[in-house]
Amino acid sequence: MLYRRLGDIEVPVLSLGSWNTWDRVDFQEAVVMIARAAELGCAFFDVAHYDMGPHAENSRTDVIFGKAVREAGLKREDWLYCGKLWLWEYPAKGFTQQLTRALDRVGAERADMVVVGDYFNTVDNERIVDDVAEQIDAGRFTTWGVNNWPYQDVRAAIDIARRRGLQPPRFAQLKYSLARRAMAEKYRSLFEANELALQASDVFEGGVLVGKLRPGRKIGADVGGIRNQIVAAWPRVDALAKELGGTPAQVAIAFCLANPHTSNVLMGVSRLAQLTENVRALELVERIPDTADLWLDKKEMEQ
């Protein structure tokens, strides 16, 4: 397994997400996958409590994960935990309240890092930076990042934190894939200055980029309305995978990791075979060709 820096923490370049994952996996399969992830050196899990805004789904994915990681025999020091703090009902539901409940559901005393999201046009950067610092001081996590924030607000949060001697956001969890690159490109100056690292999410476009052209479950938002174009581009992705002697999933992951600013990739897996297959994406990173023809949201760069 390869490791890169994500904030102040050395992390494996592959990690497993939780949205619509653990609650649709056979429990024993989940236990086996978690144990195997530890054996492969990628026991890094993005685990959120989905209970606000569009994610108020009464999901038990985090509770199931917590039970499975214990059943797998992993001690807390054996795995990395990236949690979420939501802005949907913030500050009415403050970070202390949110994190207390999230940690309790997973059965952990602390996270290693958290992501603050989703974004709103009225983000109070001063308050967010203060409230995150309070949680860090309380020992509830070490470093933090943001989720799909516009560049100007991330820049503001970094500047506020530095001015006040507090920890700034150290990474950005962004939609980033063969097809969606605009937001990460808008962050390029922050990445190149080593002010932020990129954590790539939704790298399979809800399954579309691995051949599930009509996903039967809820998937991520279609920012910019380009999903039909992504579906139409699927034959090119499939052909590229065959050219490289890999799978579409491996190509999607390898593309993200070929970007030197990417610290790690969040991937959704529901079967052990998928996990084993996806780890082999590391073999393709050095061989990914120019895929400019698959970048389908370039027009977002103008906004």
Side-chain angles (χ1 to χ4, degrees), residues 12-48:
V13 296
L14 298 179
S15 58
L16 278 66
S18 65
W19 189 48
N20 285 323
T21 299
W22 304 111
D23 45 357
R24 61 187 179 90
V25 178
D26 175 81
F27 182 75
Q28 290 305 317
E29 183 84 352
V31 171
V32 171
M33 283 197 297
I34 289 169
R36 183 57 177 153
E39 292 172 352
L40 292 168
C42 58
F44 178 12
F45 305 97
D46 181 276
V47 185

CSV table of all heavy atoms in Angstrom, one decimal, residues 12-48:
chain,number,residue,atom,x,y,z
A,12,PRO,N,-3.2,5.7,4.1
A,12,PRO,CA,-3.1,4.9,2.9
A,12,PRO,C,-3.9,5.7,1.7
A,12,PRO,O,-4.8,6.4,2.0
A,12,PRO,CB,-3.9,3.6,3.2
A,12,PRO,CG,-4.8,4.0,4.4
A,12,PRO,CD,-4.1,5.1,5.1
A,13,VAL,N,-3.4,5.4,0.5
A,13,VAL,CA,-4.0,6.2,-0.6
A,13,VAL,C,-5.4,5.7,-0.9
A,13,VAL,O,-6.1,6.3,-1.7
A,13,VAL,CB,-3.1,6.1,-1.9
A,13,VAL,CG1,-1.8,6.8,-1.6
A,13,VAL,CG2,-2.9,4.7,-2.3
A,14,LEU,N,-5.8,4.6,-0.4
A,14,LEU,CA,-7.2,4.1,-0.6
A,14,LEU,C,-7.9,4.0,0.7
A,14,LEU,O,-7.4,3.6,1.7
A,14,LEU,CB,-7.1,2.7,-1.2
A,14,LEU,CG,-6.5,2.6,-2.6
A,14,LEU,CD1,-6.5,1.1,-3.1
A,14,LEU,CD2,-7.2,3.4,-3.6
A,15,SER,N,-9.2,4.4,0.7
A,15,SER,CA,-10.0,4.3,1.9
A,15,SER,C,-11.4,4.0,1.5
A,15,SER,O,-11.8,4.1,0.4
A,15,SER,CB,-10.0,5.6,2.7
A,15,SER,OG,-10.4,6.7,1.9
A,16,LEU,N,-12.2,3.5,2.5
A,16,LEU,CA,-13.6,3.0,2.2
A,16,LEU,C,-14.6,4.0,2.8
A,16,LEU,O,-14.5,4.4,3.9
A,16,LEU,CB,-13.8,1.6,2.8
A,16,LEU,CG,-13.3,0.4,2.0
A,16,LEU,CD1,-11.7,0.5,1.9
A,16,LEU,CD2,-13.7,-0.9,2.6
A,17,GLY,N,-15.6,4.3,1.9
A,17,GLY,CA,-16.6,5.2,2.3
A,17,GLY,C,-17.8,4.5,3.0
A,17,GLY,O,-17.8,3.3,3.0
A,18,SER,N,-18.8,5.3,3.5
A,18,SER,CA,-19.9,4.6,4.2
A,18,SER,C,-21.2,5.0,3.6
A,18,SER,O,-22.2,4.3,4.0
A,18,SER,CB,-19.8,5.1,5.7
A,18,SER,OG,-20.1,6.5,5.8
A,19,TRP,N,-21.3,6.0,2.8
A,19,TRP,CA,-22.7,6.4,2.3
A,19,TRP,C,-23.2,5.3,1.4
A,19,TRP,O,-22.6,4.9,0.4
A,19,TRP,CB,-22.6,7.7,1.6
A,19,TRP,CG,-23.9,8.3,1.2
A,19,TRP,CD1,-25.0,8.4,2.1
A,19,TRP,CD2,-24.4,8.8,0.0
A,19,TRP,NE1,-26.0,9.0,1.4
A,19,TRP,CE2,-25.7,9.2,0.1
A,19,TRP,CE3,-23.7,8.9,-1.3
A,19,TRP,CZ2,-26.4,9.8,-0.9
A,19,TRP,CZ3,-24.5,9.4,-2.3
A,19,TRP,CH2,-25.8,9.9,-2.2
A,20,ASN,N,-24.4,4.8,1.8
A,20,ASN,CA,-25.1,3.7,1.0
A,20,ASN,C,-24.2,2.5,0.9
A,20,ASN,O,-24.2,1.9,-0.2
A,20,ASN,CB,-25.5,4.2,-0.4
A,20,ASN,CG,-26.8,5.1,-0.3
A,20,ASN,OD1,-27.7,4.8,0.5
A,20,ASN,ND2,-26.8,6.1,-1.1
A,21,THR,N,-23.4,2.2,1.9
A,21,THR,CA,-22.4,1.1,1.8
A,21,THR,C,-22.7,0.0,2.8
A,21,THR,O,-23.3,-1.0,2.5
A,21,THR,CB,-21.0,1.6,2.0
A,21,THR,OG1,-20.7,2.5,0.9
A,21,THR,CG2,-20.0,0.4,1.9
A,22,TRP,N,-22.4,0.3,4.1
A,22,TRP,CA,-22.5,-0.8,5.1
A,22,TRP,C,-23.9,-1.3,5.3
A,22,TRP,O,-24.2,-2.4,5.7
A,22,TRP,CB,-21.8,-0.4,6.4
A,22,TRP,CG,-20.4,0.0,6.2
A,22,TRP,CD1,-19.9,1.3,6.3
A,22,TRP,CD2,-19.3,-0.8,5.8
A,22,TRP,NE1,-18.6,1.3,6.0
A,22,TRP,CE2,-18.2,0.1,5.7
A,22,TRP,CE3,-19.2,-2.1,5.5
A,22,TRP,CZ2,-16.9,-0.4,5.3
A,22,TRP,CZ3,-17.9,-2.6,5.1
A,22,TRP,CH2,-16.8,-1.8,5.0
A,23,ASP,N,-24.9,-0.4,5.0
A,23,ASP,CA,-26.3,-0.8,5.2
A,23,ASP,C,-26.9,-1.6,4.0
A,23,ASP,O,-28.0,-2.0,4.1
A,23,ASP,CB,-27.2,0.4,5.5
A,23,ASP,CG,-26.9,1.6,4.6
A,23,ASP,OD1,-26.0,1.5,3.8
A,23,ASP,OD2,-27.6,2.6,4.7
A,24,ARG,N,-26.1,-1.8,3.0
A,24,ARG,CA,-26.5,-2.7,1.9
A,24,ARG,C,-25.6,-3.9,1.7
A,24,ARG,O,-25.6,-4.5,0.6
A,24,ARG,CB,-26.7,-1.9,0.6
A,24,ARG,CG,-25.5,-1.2,0.1
A,24,ARG,CD,-25.8,-0.3,-1.1
A,24,ARG,NE,-24.7,0.4,-1.6
A,24,ARG,CZ,-23.9,-0.1,-2.6
A,24,ARG,NH1,-24.2,-1.2,-3.1
A,24,ARG,NH2,-22.8,0.6,-3.0
A,25,VAL,N,-24.8,-4.1,2.7
A,25,VAL,CA,-23.8,-5.2,2.6
A,25,VAL,C,-24.2,-6.3,3.6
A,25,VAL,O,-24.6,-6.0,4.7
A,25,VAL,CB,-22.4,-4.7,2.9
A,25,VAL,CG1,-21.4,-5.9,2.8
A,25,VAL,CG2,-22.0,-3.7,1.9
A,26,ASP,N,-24.1,-7.6,3.2
A,26,ASP,CA,-24.3,-8.6,4.2
A,26,ASP,C,-23.3,-8.4,5.3
A,26,ASP,O,-22.1,-8.1,5.1
A,26,ASP,CB,-24.0,-10.0,3.5
A,26,ASP,CG,-24.0,-11.1,4.5
A,26,ASP,OD1,-25.1,-11.6,4.8
A,26,ASP,OD2,-22.9,-11.5,5.0
A,27,PHE,N,-23.8,-8.5,6.6
A,27,PHE,CA,-22.9,-8.2,7.7
A,27,PHE,C,-21.6,-9.0,7.8
A,27,PHE,O,-20.6,-8.4,8.0
A,27,PHE,CB,-23.7,-8.4,9.0
A,27,PHE,CG,-22.9,-8.0,10.3
A,27,PHE,CD1,-22.7,-6.6,10.6
A,27,PHE,CD2,-22.4,-8.9,11.1
A,27,PHE,CE1,-22.0,-6.2,11.7
A,27,PHE,CE2,-21.6,-8.6,12.2
A,27,PHE,CZ,-21.4,-7.2,12.5
A,28,GLN,N,-21.7,-10.2,7.6
A,28,GLN,CA,-20.5,-11.0,7.6
A,28,GLN,C,-19.5,-10.7,6.5
A,28,GLN,O,-18.3,-10.7,6.7
A,28,GLN,CB,-20.8,-12.5,7.6
A,28,GLN,CG,-21.5,-13.1,8.9
A,28,GLN,CD,-20.6,-12.7,10.1
A,28,GLN,OE1,-19.4,-12.9,10.1
A,28,GLN,NE2,-21.3,-12.3,11.2
A,29,GLU,N,-20.0,-10.3,5.4
A,29,GLU,CA,-19.2,-9.8,4.3
A,29,GLU,C,-18.5,-8.5,4.7
A,29,GLU,O,-17.3,-8.3,4.4
A,29,GLU,CB,-20.0,-9.6,3.0
A,29,GLU,CG,-19.2,-9.1,1.8
A,29,GLU,CD,-18.6,-10.3,1.0
A,29,GLU,OE1,-18.6,-11.4,1.5
A,29,GLU,OE2,-18.0,-10.0,-0.1
A,30,ALA,N,-19.2,-7.7,5.4
A,30,ALA,CA,-18.7,-6.4,5.9
A,30,ALA,C,-17.5,-6.7,6.9
A,30,ALA,O,-16.5,-6.0,6.8
A,30,ALA,CB,-19.7,-5.6,6.6
A,31,VAL,N,-17.7,-7.6,7.8
A,31,VAL,CA,-16.6,-8.0,8.7
A,31,VAL,C,-15.4,-8.5,8.0
A,31,VAL,O,-14.3,-8.1,8.3
A,31,VAL,CB,-17.2,-9.1,9.7
A,31,VAL,CG1,-16.0,-9.6,10.5
A,31,VAL,CG2,-18.3,-8.6,10.6
A,32,VAL,N,-15.6,-9.3,7.0
A,32,VAL,CA,-14.5,-9.9,6.2
A,32,VAL,C,-13.8,-8.8,5.4
A,32,VAL,O,-12.5,-8.7,5.4
A,32,VAL,CB,-15.0,-11.0,5.3
A,32,VAL,CG1,-13.8,-11.4,4.3
A,32,VAL,CG2,-15.4,-12.2,6.0
A,33,MET,N,-14.5,-7.8,4.8
A,33,MET,CA,-13.9,-6.7,4.1
A,33,MET,C,-13.1,-5.8,5.0
A,33,MET,O,-12.0,-5.4,4.6
A,33,MET,CB,-15.0,-5.9,3.4
A,33,MET,CG,-15.6,-6.5,2.2
A,33,MET,SD,-16.5,-5.3,1.1
A,33,MET,CE,-17.8,-4.8,2.2
A,34,ILE,N,-13.6,-5.5,6.2
A,34,ILE,CA,-12.9,-4.7,7.1
A,34,ILE,C,-11.6,-5.3,7.5
A,34,ILE,O,-10.5,-4.7,7.6
A,34,ILE,CB,-13.8,-4.3,8.3
A,34,ILE,CG1,-14.9,-3.3,7.8
A,34,ILE,CG2,-13.0,-3.7,9.4
A,34,ILE,CD1,-16.0,-3.1,8.8
A,35,ALA,N,-11.6,-6.6,7.8
A,35,ALA,CA,-10.4,-7.3,8.2
A,35,ALA,C,-9.4,-7.4,7.1
A,35,ALA,O,-8.2,-7.2,7.3
A,35,ALA,CB,-10.8,-8.7,8.7
A,36,ARG,N,-9.9,-7.6,5.9
A,36,ARG,CA,-9.0,-7.7,4.7
A,36,ARG,C,-8.4,-6.3,4.4
A,36,ARG,O,-7.3,-6.2,4.0
A,36,ARG,CB,-9.8,-8.2,3.5
A,36,ARG,CG,-9.0,-8.3,2.3
A,36,ARG,CD,-7.8,-9.3,2.5
A,36,ARG,NE,-7.0,-9.5,1.3
A,36,ARG,CZ,-5.8,-9.8,1.2
A,36,ARG,NH1,-5.1,-10.0,2.4
A,36,ARG,NH2,-5.1,-10.0,0.1
A,37,ALA,N,-9.2,-5.2,4.6
A,37,ALA,CA,-8.7,-3.9,4.4
A,37,ALA,C,-7.5,-3.6,5.3
A,37,ALA,O,-6.5,-3.0,4.9
A,37,ALA,CB,-9.7,-2.8,4.6
A,38,ALA,N,-7.6,-4.1,6.6
A,38,ALA,CA,-6.5,-4.0,7.5
A,38,ALA,C,-5.3,-4.7,7.0
A,38,ALA,O,-4.1,-4.3,7.1
A,38,ALA,CB,-6.9,-4.4,8.9
A,39,GLU,N,-5.5,-5.9,6.5
A,39,GLU,CA,-4.4,-6.8,6.0
A,39,GLU,C,-3.7,-6.1,4.9
A,39,GLU,O,-2.5,-6.2,4.7
A,39,GLU,CB,-4.9,-8.2,5.6
A,39,GLU,CG,-5.4,-9.0,6.8
A,39,GLU,CD,-6.1,-10.3,6.3
A,39,GLU,OE1,-6.3,-10.4,5.1
A,39,GLU,OE2,-6.4,-11.1,7.2
A,40,LEU,N,-4.5,-5.4,4.0
A,40,LEU,CA,-3.9,-4.8,2.8
A,40,LEU,C,-3.3,-3.4,3.1
A,40,LEU,O,-2.7,-2.8,2.3
A,40,LEU,CB,-5.0,-4.6,1.8
A,40,LEU,CG,-5.6,-5.9,1.2
A,40,LEU,CD1,-6.9,-5.6,0.4
A,40,LEU,CD2,-4.5,-6.5,0.3
A,41,GLY,N,-3.5,-3.0,4.4
A,41,GLY,CA,-2.9,-1.7,4.7
A,41,GLY,C,-3.7,-0.5,4.4
A,41,GLY,O,-3.2,0.7,4.4
A,42,CYS,N,-5.0,-0.7,4.2
A,42,CYS,CA,-5.9,0.4,3.8
A,42,CYS,C,-7.1,0.5,4.8
A,42,CYS,O,-8.3,0.7,4.3
A,42,CYS,CB,-6.4,0.4,2.4
A,42,CYS,SG,-7.2,-1.1,1.9
A,43,ALA,N,-6.9,0.3,6.0
A,43,ALA,CA,-7.9,0.4,7.0
A,43,ALA,C,-8.2,1.9,7.4
A,43,ALA,O,-7.9,2.3,8.5
A,43,ALA,CB,-7.6,-0.4,8.3
A,44,PHE,N,-8.7,2.6,6.5
A,44,PHE,CA,-9.0,4.0,6.6
A,44,PHE,C,-10.5,4.1,6.2
A,44,PHE,O,-10.8,3.9,5.0
A,44,PHE,CB,-8.1,4.9,5.8
A,44,PHE,CG,-8.4,6.3,5.8
A,44,PHE,CD1,-9.3,6.9,6.7
A,44,PHE,CD2,-7.7,7.2,4.9
A,44,PHE,CE1,-9.5,8.3,6.8
A,44,PHE,CE2,-8.0,8.6,5.0
A,44,PHE,CZ,-8.9,9.1,5.9
A,45,PHE,N,-11.4,4.5,7.1
A,45,PHE,CA,-12.8,4.5,6.8
A,45,PHE,C,-13.4,5.9,7.0
A,45,PHE,O,-13.2,6.5,8.0
A,45,PHE,CB,-13.5,3.5,7.7
A,45,PHE,CG,-12.9,2.1,7.6
A,45,PHE,CD1,-12.0,1.7,8.6
A,45,PHE,CD2,-13.3,1.3,6.6
A,45,PHE,CE1,-11.4,0.4,8.5
A,45,PHE,CE2,-12.7,0.0,6.5
A,45,PHE,CZ,-11.8,-0.4,7.5
A,46,ASP,N,-14.1,6.4,6.0
A,46,ASP,CA,-14.9,7.6,6.1
A,46,ASP,C,-16.3,7.2,6.6
A,46,ASP,O,-17.1,6.5,5.8
A,46,ASP,CB,-15.0,8.3,4.7
A,46,ASP,CG,-15.8,9.6,4.7
A,46,ASP,OD1,-17.0,9.5,4.6
A,46,ASP,OD2,-15.2,10.6,4.8
A,47,VAL,N,-16.7,7.6,7.8
A,47,VAL,CA,-17.9,7.1,8.4
A,47,VAL,C,-18.7,8.3,8.9
A,47,VAL,O,-18.2,9.0,9.8
A,47,VAL,CB,-17.6,6.1,9.5
A,47,VAL,CG1,-18.9,5.5,10.1
A,47,VAL,CG2,-16.7,5.0,9.1
A,48,ALA,N,-19.9,8.4,8.4
A,48,ALA,CA,-20.7,9.6,8.8
A,48,ALA,C,-22.0,9.1,9.4
A,48,ALA,O,-22.5,8.0,9.1
A,48,ALA,CB,-21.0,10.5,7.7
